[in-house]
């Protein structure tokens, strides 16, 4: 019943909006796109993103219904990504923060964000799978997947925060000491870390997706592991020996 609720809510809401939009007499009285200066549409899309974030996590968890019917698995992720895309389009139309504006500081920042979120999926999937595994080898595989996700999430989070200058202590070190400038993004340090993360995930993908390992049964973990390796390849592009410019 809980699984049905996620689809029913997001089916009825667009149906209601489209019905009022197609019927001209109703659209004149209730124009969803202009209510509250368009903010109602934005709030609705934000609720949908949060709704499907929880719904996707619930349905694709280890032992969830998404593994009984793969169309549920793919449609839940598609609903989440569609909601995020719609919210991003609304933000661009209303001159609010968009994904492009959030990730345009450097050529490597979008890839670090992709690595970060894929790492979170890998970590969360493996941590959740530990509760249902029954063999020592499967538990060991889950623990390794947790380590893979946590380490790559920490590295990617470091460079994301460096781009936004949230790590003020590191920024002050870089300004105060010429020898500490290698910590900044856009240089050889970022390139080296990107190569190490690539190597880390080559090992991780080999171990986690081999026969009998946990990614053979936890689809989200396997896809996210391949996703991190693919996304992290983009970090090697556009990196030179100089400091990054915003």
């Amino acid at each position: 019943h809980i699984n049905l609720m996620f689809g029913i809510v997001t089916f009825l809401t667009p149906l209601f909006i489209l019905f009022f939009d197609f019927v001209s007499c109703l659209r004149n009285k209730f124009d969803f796109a202009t209510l509250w200066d368009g903010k109602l549409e934005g709030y609705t899309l934000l609720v949908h993103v949060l709704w499907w974030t929880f719904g996707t996590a619930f349905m694709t968890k280890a032992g969830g219904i998404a593994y009984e019917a793969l169309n549920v698995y793919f449609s839940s992720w598609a609903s989440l990504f569609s909601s995020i895309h719609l919210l991003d389009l609304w933000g661009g139309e209303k001159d609010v923060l968009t994904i492009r504006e959030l990730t345009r500081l450097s050529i490597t920042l979008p890839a670090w964000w992709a690595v970060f979120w894929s790492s979170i999926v890998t970590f969360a999937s493996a941590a959740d799978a530990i509760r249902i595994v029954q063999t020592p080898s499967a538990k060991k595989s889950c623990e390794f997947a947790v380590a893979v996700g946590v380490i790559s999430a920490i590295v990617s989070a470091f460079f994301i925060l460096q781009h936004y200058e949230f790590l003020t202590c590191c920024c002050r070190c870089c300004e105060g000491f010429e020898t500490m400038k290698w910590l900044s993004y856009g240089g050889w340090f970022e390139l080296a870390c990107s190569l190490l993360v690539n190597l880390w995930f080559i090992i991780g993908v080999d171990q986690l997706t081999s026969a009998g390992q946990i990614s053979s049964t936890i689809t989200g973990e396997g896809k996210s592991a391949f996703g991190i390796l693919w996304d992290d390849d983009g970090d090697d592009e556009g990196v030179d020996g100089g400091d990054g410019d915003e």
Side-chain angles (χ1 to χ4, degrees), residues 3-64:
N3 294 292
L4 284 173
M5 185 173 59
F6 294 110
I8 290 173
V9 170
T10 47
F11 171 76
L12 292 178
T13 303
L15 184 65
F16 174 80
I17 295 171
L18 291 173
F19 177 74
F20 274 79
D21 186 64
F22 286 145
V23 181
S24 57
C25 61
L26 294 176
R27 185 172 64 249
N28 295 332
K29 296 180 180 180
F30 182 84
D31 190 354
F32 183 75
T34 59
L35 284 176
W36 298 357
D37 195 25
K39 293 180 180 178
L40 179 60
E41 183 179 20
Y43 291 145
T44 303
L45 292 172
L46 179 60
V47 170
H48 273 222
V49 171
L50 297 175
W51 180 255
W52 273 109
T53 299
F54 177 74
T56 302
F58 182 81
M59 288 189 288
T60 62
K61 66 180 181 179

Side-chain angles (χ1 to χ4, degrees), residues 88 98-119 152 155-157 159-164 185-186 190 194 227-239 245-246:
D88 186 56
T98 63
I99 294 176
R100 183 180 181 279
E101 292 172 344
L102 190 66
T103 60
R104 67 181 180 180
L105 296 180
S106 80
I107 194 172
T108 59
L109 183 56
W112 283 122
W113 270 114
V115 171
F116 175 77
W117 287 116
S118 297
S119 301
S152 57
V155 174
S156 56
F159 284 104
I160 290 170
L161 293 176
Q162 278 283 58
H163 277 80
Y164 300 124
Y185 67 90
E190 183 181 20
S194 175
I228 298 173
L229 183 60
W230 176 267
D231 293 326
D232 196 59
D233 285 338
D235 290 347
D236 297 340
E237 300 178 5
V239 179
D245 296 326
E246 291 187 8

Side-chain angles (χ1 to χ4, degrees), residues 13-245:
T13 303
L15 184 65
F16 174 80
I17 295 171
L18 291 173
F19 177 74
F20 274 79
D21 186 64
F22 286 145
V23 181
S24 57
C25 61
L26 294 176
R27 185 172 64 249
N28 295 332
K29 296 180 180 180
F30 182 84
D31 190 354
F32 183 75
T34 59
L35 284 176
W36 298 357
D37 195 25
K39 293 180 180 178
L40 179 60
E41 183 179 20
Y43 291 145
T44 303
L45 292 172
L46 179 60
V47 170
H48 273 222
V49 171
L50 297 175
W51 180 255
W52 273 109
T53 299
F54 177 74
T56 302
F58 182 81
M59 288 189 288
T60 62
K61 66 180 181 179
I65 192 175
Y67 300 100
E68 301 296 330
L70 283 180
N71 59 331
V72 176
Y73 178 89
F74 290 110
S75 62
S76 61
W77 281 106
S79 298
L80 175 59
F81 291 141
S82 297
S83 299
I84 294 173
H85 179 61
L86 287 171
L87 182 61
D88 186 56
L89 292 177
W90 177 87
E93 182 181 350
K94 300 299 180 182
D95 197 23
V96 183
L97 185 66
T98 63
I99 294 176
R100 183 180 181 279
E101 292 172 344
L102 190 66
T103 60
R104 67 181 180 180
L105 296 180
S106 80
I107 194 172
T108 59
L109 183 56
W112 283 122
W113 270 114
V115 171
F116 175 77
W117 287 116
S118 297
S119 301
I120 295 298
V121 173
T122 299
F123 158 72
S125 298
D128 181 57
I130 291 177
R131 64 183 173 83
I132 65 171
V133 296
Q134 299 178 346
T135 62
S137 60
K139 185 177 181 180
K140 185 178 180 180
S141 180
C142 287
E143 292 171 348
F144 178 68
V146 169
V148 169
V150 168
I151 292 174
S152 57
I154 291 173
V155 174
S156 56
F158 172 81
F159 284 104
I160 290 170
L161 293 176
Q162 278 283 58
H163 277 80
Y164 300 124
E165 298 185 357
F166 285 158
L167 298 177
T168 55
C169 60
C170 293
C171 292
R172 289 170 184 169
C173 289
C174 293
E175 293 172 1
F177 300 95
E178 194 72 20
T179 57
M180 296 294 290
K181 285 189 175 181
W182 56 270
L183 281 174
S184 178
Y185 67 90
W188 290 107
F189 179 63
E190 183 181 20
L191 176 60
C193 289
S194 175
L195 292 173
L196 288 174
V197 171
N198 271 291
L199 179 61
W200 177 237
F201 263 91
I202 288 173
I203 297 172
V205 169
D206 176 66
Q207 292 294 319
L208 296 175
T209 61
S210 58
Q213 298 302 312
I214 193 64
S215 290
S216 304
T217 55
I218 307 299
T219 309
E221 183 181 320
K223 285 182 169 55
S224 60
F226 274 111
I228 298 173
L229 183 60
W230 176 267
D231 293 326
D232 196 59
D233 285 338
D235 290 347
D236 297 340
E237 300 178 5
V239 179
D240 54 31
D243 295 329
D245 296 326

